[in-house]
Amino acid sequence: MKLQRKNMLRASALGALVVSGALVLTACGSDNNTKDGGSASGKPSAAAGDIKCDGAKGKLLASGSSAQKNAVDLWVKNYMAACPGVEVNYKSSSSGEGIVAFNQGTVGFAGSDSALKPDAVEESKKVCTGGQGINLPMVGGPIAIGFNVAGVDKLTLDAPTLANIFNDKIKKWDDEAIKKLNPGVTLPSTPIQAFHRSEDSGTTENLGKYLKAAAPEAWTYEPAKKWPAPGGQAASGSAGVASQVKTVDGAIGYFELSYASAQSIKTVDVNTGAAAPVKASADSASKAIAAAKIAGTGSDLALKLDYTTKAEGAYPIVLVTYEIVCDKGNKAETLPTVKSFLNYTASDAGQKVLSDNGYAPIPAEINTKVREVINSLS
């Protein structure tokens, strides 16, 4: 029976990988991607052999950010291979839904692309007995601006132009503002079809933070999980926005790079004021995230990102996905599994899964503090 149970768990994890985690593997297209992210055969990887189960058992429920789903699928696959008595079930929805589930006490942790707001922290105290919800940065990466314009293979935009596209002020692809940034490119008069997320989204909020910081005159909205601007069309989740951009001529939208890579969606190079426009990549995002500062206090490790960076090769439209947990007052039945699983995701092996699969690892000096906080959870 133990063997049967083990095989069932492996099959479950592999099934999740095929559905969504394979997006990342397809995007990267390298045999090396399976070294720490698992192999297509479903066999435990070398990284899985280093996982410490530490009393983990039963089922751990988690939910939230779709931005980190591809990474979580790979982590879960490795973790469940090493700890066959444990089932980790991460429901990809949105950052907003994840925070709601966390504050209702229905999940052991939540994934969010933006740190908890003060009102959410206060509400978390009802669930975290004697403590509160805290933010642990775990996954970094670029927010790619995908486009689909017939006959255009390369496109450069800057923050003011992006702002005016997404707030419905620039309506055609041959607009003078776009032409000025793309000399030598033949741009059609095709109407722009801008897509945004339909549900509350940390990805939306992070895009808003970039636009507000880098183009304050053009983007007058405060960053928020709910899409704030007029016009445009809505789609559900990063997958939904990517699907629309893939199929609609004249489309533009925003989503994590893995979704663009998996569907061969062309992405915008961003003119930051550096010597050359910057492509969205794990490396260019890492250069931006490396400059992040810890803004949280105590056990809270919320980060402050520099969205106006002009550093060479630094891609400014980035997000960091947090795992939200109770610092104190975690449920006794799931605490060992929460600590064991997050210790793996924050480990060198767990973070290497990110760098191997199109995400940006958390900078080492910050990640050291993340591990310390995980070990202190109670």
Side-chain angles (χ1 to χ4, degrees):
M1 291 297 293
K2 288 183 178 179
L3 180 59
Q4 183 182 14
R5 172 65 171 163
K6 184 175 182 179
N7 289 336
M8 288 174 65
L9 290 170
R10 287 182 179 176
S12 174
L14 182 57
L17 179 68
V18 170
V19 172
S20 59
L23 292 173
V24 180
L25 296 172
T26 302
C28 296
S30 169
D31 292 338
N32 291 333
N33 292 339
T34 63
K35 287 182 180 179
D36 290 286
S39 67
S41 67
K43 295 179 180 179
S45 68
D50 297 331
I51 295 170
K52 296 180 180 178
C53 302
D54 288 337
K57 60 183 179 179
K59 179 182 290 187
L60 173 62
L61 300 179
S63 69
S65 164
S66 62
Q68 70 170 12
K69 176 174 171 52
N70 295 333
V72 173
D73 283 345
L74 294 167
W75 280 333
V76 167
K77 175 178 177 289
N78 280 353
Y79 183 79
M80 288 173 58
C83 303
V86 185
E87 181 181 350
V88 180
N89 187 332
Y90 182 82
K91 178 185 176 183
S92 172
S93 50
S94 67
S95 298
E97 291 178 46
I99 291 171
V100 169
F102 178 77
N103 280 339
Q104 290 176 341
T106 59
V107 294
F109 70 88
S112 176
D113 304 335
S114 56
L116 290 171
K117 296 290 191 296
D119 58 342
V121 173
E122 192 62 31
E123 188 176 353
S124 73
K125 294 178 181 178
K126 300 174 184 177
V127 175
C128 305
T129 306
Q132 65 181 45
I134 58 172
N135 305 280
L136 301 178
M138 200 67 70
V139 182
I143 300 174
I145 307 297
F147 71 96
N148 178 2
V149 183
V152 179
D153 294 322
K154 184 176 176 59
L155 185 69
T156 296
L157 298 173
D158 59 12
T161 308
L162 279 168
N164 285 325
I165 286 173
F166 281 115
N167 68 15
D168 206 32
K169 292 184 178 178
I170 293 179
K171 298 180 182 294
K172 291 192 175 183
W173 281 108
D174 62 352
D175 187 276
E176 287 301 319
I178 301 177
K179 290 168 68 174
K180 184 177 180 180
L181 291 165
N182 295 273
V185 177
T186 301
L187 293 163
S189 59
T190 307
I192 292 174
Q193 307 285 339
F195 288 90
H196 57 263
R197 293 279 289 272
S198 60
E199 73 285 1
D200 287 2
S201 162
T203 310
T204 295
E205 185 171 9
N206 279 278
L207 175 66
K209 288 178 180 178
Y210 162 72
L211 294 174
K212 182 68 173 178
E217 294 182 2
W219 193 260
T220 58
Y221 313 99
E222 290 302 315
K225 290 184 176 66
K226 184 177 179 63
W227 182 255
Q233 302 175 61
S236 178
S238 292
V241 175
S243 178
Q244 292 296 324
V245 173
K246 175 71 174 178
T247 56
V248 176
D249 184 29
I252 188 170
Y254 58 94
F255 31 79
E256 293 68 44
L257 182 60
S258 61
Y259 291 90
S261 301
Q263 300 187 52
S264 299
I265 297 172
K266 291 167 286 192
T267 61
V268 169
D269 296 346
V270 177
N271 183 334
T272 65
V278 185
K279 292 183 178 296
S281 72
D283 287 343
S284 62
S286 291
K287 290 181 180 178
I289 294 171
K293 305 296 183 184
I294 294 176
T297 58
S299 296
D300 185 82
L301 300 179
L303 300 179
K304 181 176 178 60
L305 298 166
D306 181 7
Y307 294 100
T308 61
T309 180
K310 293 179 174 60
E312 296 299 328
Y315 184 81
I317 318 175
V318 295
L319 59 77
V320 169
T321 290
Y322 300 94
E323 311 308 347
I324 295 171
V325 295
C326 296
D327 57 355
K328 298 178 182 178
N330 288 277
K331 293 180 180 179
E333 61 269 26
T334 56
L335 177 59
T337 309
V338 168
K339 294 177 71 171
S340 171
F341 180 70
L342 295 183
N343 264 320
Y344 165 56
T345 65
S347 69
D348 289 341
Q351 289 291 297
K352 190 173 186 300
V353 169
L354 301 182
S355 58
D356 283 351
N357 293 287
Y359 290 95
I362 301 302
E365 61 274 17
I366 295 173
N367 200 39
T368 297
K369 296 180 181 179
V370 171
R371 296 176 194 175
E372 292 173 356
V373 172
I374 293 170
N375 288 325
S376 73
L377 300 179
S378 63

